[in-house]
Amino acid sequence: LQAQINPHFLYNILDMINWMAMRQGADDINYVVAKLAKFFRLSLSSGREMIPIGDELEHIRLYVDIQNVRYEDRIALNMEIDESVLDYYTVNLILQPLVENAIMHGINERDDKKGIIRIVAYEDIESIIFKVEDNGVGMSKETLSSLQEGKSTGYGVKNVDERLKLRFGDEYGLTYASKENEGTQVTVRIPIIDEVDEDEEIKN
């Protein structure tokens, strides 16, 4: 995706749409386009794979803000973040596919299509732990078992797990817990990375 999008073209088009919206007094369009521009700026991150955890979390805030325009503020986002993790680094775009799944396959499957997404981040010895929880419809035991065996049919989530394992080793990646009609929790484990050089070689 990063290779196929010319960032300057994208930003220029979004700026043009934003200017047109302001000229027409279309505040709702102005709001969404401004959020979308920031969202893509963080998504593309100048082609870098490793970004500060603070940027990754801001990316999620923007994503949920944009989705709430579509879903009429039916998604509540609660973040419980240990501030000590914000300046550490993470692989780019590991949380967004999990939040998207929580919305599409958890919250949107509820009768009222309303729900809460809770994101927790903290240090755990030599690792950083993220937890993405939702109070959606949850998963059957069969679906959960398939996920735990690495048989995810969702490309985005499977891609996140594979990227983390390839880069850091099999002890890192995603684990799942879920109960039908109660919700789902995805735990992400990455190593603590406090510095990344220009070639993005990890320095622990």
Side-chain angles (χ1 to χ4, degrees), residues 139-202:
M139 292 184 279
S140 67
K141 290 181 180 179
E142 292 77 16
T143 301
L144 179 60
S145 177
S146 180
L147 275 172
Q148 290 169 336
E149 293 171 6
K151 299 176 182 177
S152 169
T153 56
Y155 174 77
V157 173
K158 185 176 182 181
N159 180 258
V160 169
D161 192 47
E162 289 177 349
R163 287 169 64 206
L164 293 178
K165 284 178 165 53
L166 281 171
R167 189 168 185 105
F168 303 126
D170 287 343
E171 65 268 38
Y172 300 102
L174 309 185
T175 54
Y176 309 89
S178 186
K179 290 185 178 180
E180 284 189 276
N181 302 314
E182 292 188 20
T184 297
Q185 179 188 89
V186 184
T187 300
V188 184
R189 180 181 294 272
I190 64 171
I192 292 177
I193 303 163
D194 58 17
E195 187 178 356
V196 177
D197 67 17
E198 292 183 356
D199 296 322
E200 295 188 342
E201 294 177 358
I202 299 167

Side-chain angles (χ1 to χ4, degrees), residues 3-202:
Q4 292 177 30
I5 294 177
N6 181 320
H8 296 294
F9 171 77
L10 178 64
Y11 300 146
N12 287 341
I13 292 296
L14 289 173
D15 283 343
M16 181 185 72
I17 296 170
N18 206 25
W19 175 79
M20 293 167 66
M22 287 189 292
R23 188 175 65 177
Q24 297 293 327
D27 293 339
D28 51 350
I29 297 175
N30 172 255
Y31 175 86
V32 173
V33 171
K35 295 280 185 182
L36 191 60
K38 292 180 182 178
F39 175 83
F40 276 116
R41 199 175 297 275
L42 287 171
S43 296
L44 298 172
S45 61
S46 301
R48 293 177 294 123
E49 186 182 12
M50 303 298 296
I51 63 170
I53 287 173
D55 286 356
E56 180 76 358
L57 295 170
E58 178 62 17
H59 187 251
I60 293 305
R61 290 188 187 96
L62 290 165
Y63 178 75
V64 174
D65 283 348
I66 293 167
Q67 291 286 23
N68 265 326
V69 175
R70 178 183 180 186
Y71 295 119
E72 301 177 329
D73 291 321
R74 293 198 300 264
I75 303 158
L77 177 65
N78 296 337
M79 286 193 170
E80 299 173 21
I81 311 300
D82 183 342
E83 290 191 5
S84 68
V85 310
L86 294 177
D87 292 328
Y88 293 138
Y89 286 82
T90 179
V91 174
N92 191 16
L93 292 174
I94 61 170
L95 297 181
Q96 186 272 331
L98 308 182
V99 173
E100 181 176 348
N101 257 25
I103 294 171
M104 301 302 176
H105 303 297
I107 293 171
N108 276 356
E109 295 298 320
R110 289 169 54 105
D111 290 339
D112 60 4
K113 299 189 183 299
K114 294 181 180 179
I116 301 169
I117 295 173
R118 176 173 176 258
I119 297 180
V120 179
Y122 59 91
E123 291 185 52
D124 178 34
I125 309 177
E126 296 181 355
S127 299
I128 301 293
I129 302 296
F130 300 100
K131 292 183 183 291
V132 179
E133 304 174 359
D134 68 71
N135 65 340
V137 297
M139 292 184 279
S140 67
K141 290 181 180 179
E142 292 77 16
T143 301
L144 179 60
S145 177
S146 180
L147 275 172
Q148 290 169 336
E149 293 171 6
K151 299 176 182 177
S152 169
T153 56
Y155 174 77
V157 173
K158 185 176 182 181
N159 180 258
V160 169
D161 192 47
E162 289 177 349
R163 287 169 64 206
L164 293 178
K165 284 178 165 53
L166 281 171
R167 189 168 185 105
F168 303 126
D170 287 343
E171 65 268 38
Y172 300 102
L174 309 185
T175 54
Y176 309 89
S178 186
K179 290 185 178 180
E180 284 189 276
N181 302 314
E182 292 188 20
T184 297
Q185 179 188 89
V186 184
T187 300
V188 184
R189 180 181 294 272
I190 64 171
I192 292 177
I193 303 163
D194 58 17
E195 187 178 356
V196 177
D197 67 17
E198 292 183 356
D199 296 322
E200 295 188 342
E201 294 177 358
I202 299 167

